[in-house]
Amino acid sequence: MDPWHDLWANRELIWVLFTRDLKASFRGSLLGWVWLLLPPLSTTAIWIMLNRSHVVSFADPVVPYPLFVLTGTVIWTAFTRAALLPLQIFQASKPVFTKIKVSPAAFLAVGPLRSFFDGLIFLLLLIFLFPIFDHQPPLTVLLLPLAMIVAVALGTALAWALIPLAALYTDIQQAMPLLFSVFIYLAPVVYPLPESGWMRKIMMLNPLTSVIAAARDWSFKGGTIWWPELFAAFLLALLVCWLALFIMRLIMPHLVARMGM
Amino acid sequence: MNEILINVQGIGKKFCRNLKKSLWYGLCDSTKSLFGRSVDACSDILRKDEFWAIEDVSFKVRRGECLGLVGKNGAGKTTILKMLSGLILPDHGKIEMFGRVGGLIALGAGFNPLLTGRENVYVNGAILGLPRREINARMDEIVAFADIGSFMDAPVQSYSSGMSVRLGFAIAVVLVKPDILLLDEVLAVGDMGFMIKCLNAVRELANKCAVVFVSHNMQFVSSFCSEVLVLNKGKVHLHALSVAEGVDAYLRLFPIPAEASGSGGAEITKVSIHYDGESGTTDIAQGINAALDFHLLISGETMDTILNVYIMDQAQTPIICYPDVPHPLRRNANGSRAAMLRLPLGSLDLNAGHYSFVIGVAERNSNLCLKREQGLAPFQILAEVMQWGCIVRESSAEILAN
């Protein structure tokens, strides 16, 4: 069966699992939604401080630096969430996988849903922050969810491709946060894309670069020149996701056999 | 003859004792099956640290039949169930399943402790593959079956372990309508009242399905199953078409250890069961009268001794006690006293199963144990069915009034 069809057939299960995790995460916490906003806000605060103290220099007459960092972080956070969540979900669902014949794809699909949902909340916060920093965003700001979708798709593709390995070895889950702490500097999250040089070349290879650049264009300029890259990144992500699910279904019995009773 | 729903032919499954190697083999197998190379091709060769967890097991189950899978811990029962449910693939042989497979295996899978019981019904139901409207339609039935009152709307983490099992069982038994039913040791859940409810529900379900039933409880096995497959170390020890024979073979897997203790002032030898003019009988039909022969020798000065004889079941629980058996002895030339004794046991109307004797000799005044021997003259009560109860007695009722 086609992996997309598998997901569609399991849409009800995906929804139930998504709402289960959402409800549970808010019921078990005192601050609830605040936890969604704190990590991106803290990252932003650090970079604002670094900029104020001239440790890093950034001067753009049009865009206030906090907003510049926030637009980058909103995309980056969605990407990393999407890349980490499926691994956590898979780990947490092992007891189900080893006992009941279910579609693992349905469980994994909760990852992108949840990261998109969290991302949207962060986007809403961003919209409220624009006027605080005296910025009147163009109408294209409404396209930001589109950038969010591509970022989530890229993160999901990365996670799903790694699941078979992560199902057997815990190394993947341990390595991911470490990789991201380095990887963040290979994307224009906290500083702009350099005009030239080797760093620009490396960043251009990163599919996330186009997503962040487009998000900034939509927030500050209006139109964007990044459509082709954005489109290519999205197609690439979809292709990888499809392949990953296809592989998953083939090898799932082998994974279950090694995951224990 | 009903149609065959489960057809298992010569299946085998390898497992690996070493974790690191096991994971590595998993990776290799995955890669192989990705590139279309049949894993079967080289799968009969054991790699380092591997062993056959299941070897050459075959059986068929038709609709309306129930196959009992019994064996010691680690005999491979659960592994077979996992292969039947398609969770893992056999490395050898082939499995054919016809119809919808359902199981009462992982009760309450996917329960989130922070959600209420009612919310978790939807989660668990969805994981079992049921659409929401079907769960809605049967919600009342589930609530009634679980019978946990207002806890239904409390978070599951506030449940006692019995309550969450009740809810899990209620969901599965109400919602799952399979052709092939897999049962793994789930009947002994909850308190006695709930257990009876479960048994009835499963019995009703089982009548329409082909059932594979894993249990260590021989009462369950003999009341549910139509045939028994006894597994030992992953291999078929016996495939019995008569349940009594299967149960017997299972019980024989656990020999009763003979053990002696005490100060040594007494010797008990030549212990055997006497029945119908013959000594040394080990197979006894339910309800017959037999006697126990044994030779008792008391070597010390002790004049006043107390002799107790017990019949123990397989689990070494005393079932019948013959307290303070009078034991006249003759004095030997060397001062010790001895005799060959015959103790009438009365009617052995014990439940089918394996039993043995314990004989103890002690000084009456000090209660000092001279000798206690267990696992003596092991015997077996033969009967068609294993009943519920230690004693099985034939009887009839008479009319007192209309």
Side-chain angles (χ1 to χ4, degrees):
Chain A
M1 194 167 57
D2 175 54
W4 297 144
H5 186 263
D6 185 23
L7 283 180
W8 178 248
N10 280 296
R11 59 194 181 281
E12 217 166 337
L13 175 58
I14 297 174
W15 183 251
V16 168
L17 293 172
F18 170 65
T19 50
R20 171 194 73 171
D21 293 348
L22 199 63
K23 279 184 206 160
S25 68
F26 289 122
R27 264 182 223 177
S29 119
L30 210 56
L31 295 177
W33 303 79
V34 178
W35 288 114
L36 290 184
L37 308 176
L38 274 182
L41 280 179
S42 65
T43 319
T44 314
I46 290 169
W47 282 95
I48 293 170
M49 266 157 50
L50 289 179
N51 193 41
R52 286 259 167 87
S53 59
H54 299 285
V55 176
V56 290
S57 57
F58 172 87
D60 190 309
V62 195
V63 185
Y65 187 67
L67 290 186
F68 177 86
V69 176
L70 267 171
T71 42
T73 327
V74 87
I75 298 298
W76 175 254
T77 311
F79 168 76
T80 52
R81 290 264 304 155
L84 288 172
L85 255 181
L87 298 176
Q88 291 165 7
I89 292 172
F90 192 90
Q91 205 67 29
S93 311
K94 272 185 180 178
V96 177
F97 294 153
T98 54
K99 295 211 177 66
I100 299 181
K101 181 107 187 198
V102 287
S103 153
F107 285 70
L108 293 180
V110 175
L113 268 189
R114 182 64 193 272
S115 9
F116 184 68
F117 176 82
D118 292 355
L120 278 187
I121 294 182
F122 191 14
L123 267 187
L124 275 177
L125 171 92
L126 188 66
I127 305 287
F128 280 113
L129 284 177
F130 278 151
I132 294 177
F133 290 97
D134 279 332
H135 174 68
Q136 175 124 42
L139 259 183
T140 47
V141 80
L142 295 174
L143 288 174
L144 278 181
L146 219 57
M148 183 74 69
I149 289 176
V150 181
V152 167
L154 283 170
T156 306
L158 180 64
W160 287 7
L162 289 173
I163 286 280
L165 209 52
L168 295 174
Y169 296 103
T170 52
D171 303 58
I172 302 292
Q173 254 194 305
Q174 299 193 44
M176 288 276 260
L178 184 73
L179 279 177
F180 286 150
S181 64
V182 176
F183 194 53
I184 189 170
Y185 301 104
L186 299 181
V189 180
V190 289
Y191 47 79
L193 184 64
E195 296 295 328
S196 59
W198 61 272
M199 196 61 183
R200 182 185 168 89
K201 276 183 193 145
I202 291 178
M203 279 198 186
M204 289 300 287
L205 287 177
N206 184 351
L208 206 59
T209 300
S210 64
V211 187
I212 294 174
R216 290 220 171 97
D217 286 348
W218 288 334
S219 308
F220 306 118
K221 277 196 211 152
T224 184
I225 53 159
W226 292 95
W227 279 108
E229 285 87 351
L230 211 55
F231 209 66
F234 188 58
L235 280 184
L236 174 74
L238 287 186
L239 183 70
V240 173
C241 284
W242 188 90
L243 266 176
L245 289 186
F246 187 80
I247 290 172
M248 269 300 286
R249 215 197 1 257
L250 268 182
I251 67 170
M252 196 60 188
H254 295 300
L255 299 182
V256 171
R258 306 294 166 178
M259 286 193 295
M261 286 293 138
Chain B
M1 208 53 134
N2 282 327
E3 78 256 60
I4 293 173
L5 296 188
I6 306 174
N7 188 2
V8 173
Q9 289 170 17
I11 53 168
K13 182 77 198 166
K14 292 180 290 187
F15 278 143
C16 179
R17 286 194 188 90
N18 180 307
L19 178 65
K20 279 255 152 67
K21 284 216 177 65
S22 168
L23 297 177
W24 175 248
Y25 293 153
L27 200 63
C28 296
D29 292 345
S30 302
T31 321
K32 271 183 210 152
S33 67
L34 264 190
F35 293 101
R37 275 178 56 192
S38 152
V39 181
D40 266 359
C42 49
S43 68
D44 282 350
I45 306 154
L46 288 178
R47 291 167 286 192
K48 197 168 180 287
D49 282 336
E50 275 190 327
F51 64 99
W52 288 101
I54 294 292
E55 202 174 352
D56 196 24
V57 173
S58 307
F59 55 86
K60 292 186 180 101
V61 189
R62 296 165 196 276
R63 194 185 289 280
E65 285 181 345
C66 175
L67 175 78
L69 274 186
V70 301
K72 294 182 188 178
N73 289 333
K77 306 179 292 289
T78 305
T79 307
I80 290 184
L81 278 197
K82 282 196 174 185
M83 286 194 270
L84 291 180
S85 56
L87 285 169
I88 57 179
L89 302 172
D91 290 321
H92 189 95
K94 144 175 131 179
I95 297 177
E96 290 173 309
M97 308 278 275
F98 305 94
R100 188 172 159 176
V101 184
L104 298 178
I105 294 177
L107 299 178
F111 271 12
N112 187 303
L114 294 170
L115 301 192
T116 68
R118 200 175 294 274
E119 286 168 321
N120 272 314
V121 171
Y122 288 102
V123 175
N124 190 225
I127 288 176
L128 294 175
L130 276 298
R132 195 180 174 84
R133 56 191 151 68
E134 204 166 317
I135 301 171
N136 278 333
R138 318 206 64 170
M139 185 55 110
D140 293 339
E141 230 176 303
I142 295 171
V143 173
F145 197 100
D147 192 21
I148 52 174
S150 55
F151 272 96
M152 204 62 200
D153 293 300
V156 166
Q157 66 176 358
S158 66
Y159 284 23
S160 73
S161 55
M163 282 200 270
S164 61
V165 170
R166 282 173 88 114
L167 183 60
F169 193 94
I171 300 169
V173 94
V174 171
L175 291 179
V176 176
K177 296 283 174 249
D179 298 300
I180 296 167
L181 179 67
L182 308 176
L183 296 167
D184 190 0
E185 209 62 275
V186 288
L187 287 176
V189 297
D191 49 33
M192 201 58 208
F194 191 69
M195 209 160 103
I196 292 167
K197 212 159 148 183
C198 294
L199 283 171
N200 289 337
V202 169
R203 209 179 287 276
E204 198 178 314
L205 210 57
N207 286 336
K208 301 164 215 148
C209 315
V211 187
V212 177
F213 180 79
V214 168
S215 181
H216 290 292
N217 184 321
M218 290 305 117
Q219 264 92 15
F220 286 145
V221 170
S222 50
S223 67
F224 269 107
C225 300
S226 42
E227 52 189 278
V228 177
L229 191 74
V230 186
L231 290 171
N232 195 16
K233 294 180 183 149
K235 292 187 188 127
V236 177
H237 181 68
L238 177 76
H239 188 165
L241 295 175
S242 120
V243 179
E245 199 185 326
V247 168
D248 178 56
Y250 168 75
L251 293 177
R252 271 181 203 279
L253 292 176
F254 306 90
I256 298 161
E259 233 180 80
S261 54
S263 67
E267 289 294 329
I268 299 154
T269 47
K270 298 179 191 158
V271 187
S272 71
I273 296 174
H274 180 88
Y275 162 64
D276 202 13
E278 263 182 65
S279 275
T281 320
T282 54
D283 293 352
I284 295 173
Q286 199 168 45
I288 61 113
N289 285 293
L292 185 69
D293 292 353
F294 57 97
H295 185 264
L296 177 65
L297 178 136
I298 296 174
S299 51
E301 292 301 302
T302 326
M303 289 306 291
D304 198 4
T305 48
I306 180 164
L307 172 72
N308 292 322
V309 176
Y310 306 89
I311 295 182
M312 317 290 273
D313 71 1
Q314 183 103 24
Q316 288 298 293
T317 313
I319 301 296
I320 300 183
C321 172
Y322 303 90
D324 201 2
V325 180
H327 49 290
L329 300 174
R330 292 208 184 100
R331 189 169 291 276
N332 290 335
N334 62 359
S336 64
R337 298 171 304 125
M340 188 74 200
L341 298 168
R342 172 163 295 168
L343 165 68
L345 296 168
S347 164
L348 291 176
D349 43 10
L350 300 165
N351 198 358
H354 287 238
Y355 300 88
S356 64
F357 289 90
V358 167
I359 302 180
V361 185
E363 246 179 37
R364 188 179 298 278
N365 295 329
S366 62
N367 231 354
L368 175 78
C369 175
L370 299 176
K371 192 78 172 184
R372 182 187 180 277
E373 292 214 36
Q374 70 169 43
L376 296 170
F379 66 99
Q380 176 191 9
I381 296 288
L382 301 172
E384 277 307 302
V385 197
M386 184 173 251
Q387 306 286 3
W388 287 83
C390 299
I391 307 290
V392 181
R393 211 158 268 177
E394 267 183 38
S395 62
S396 64
E398 54 181 310
I399 298 174
L400 282 182
N402 270 340

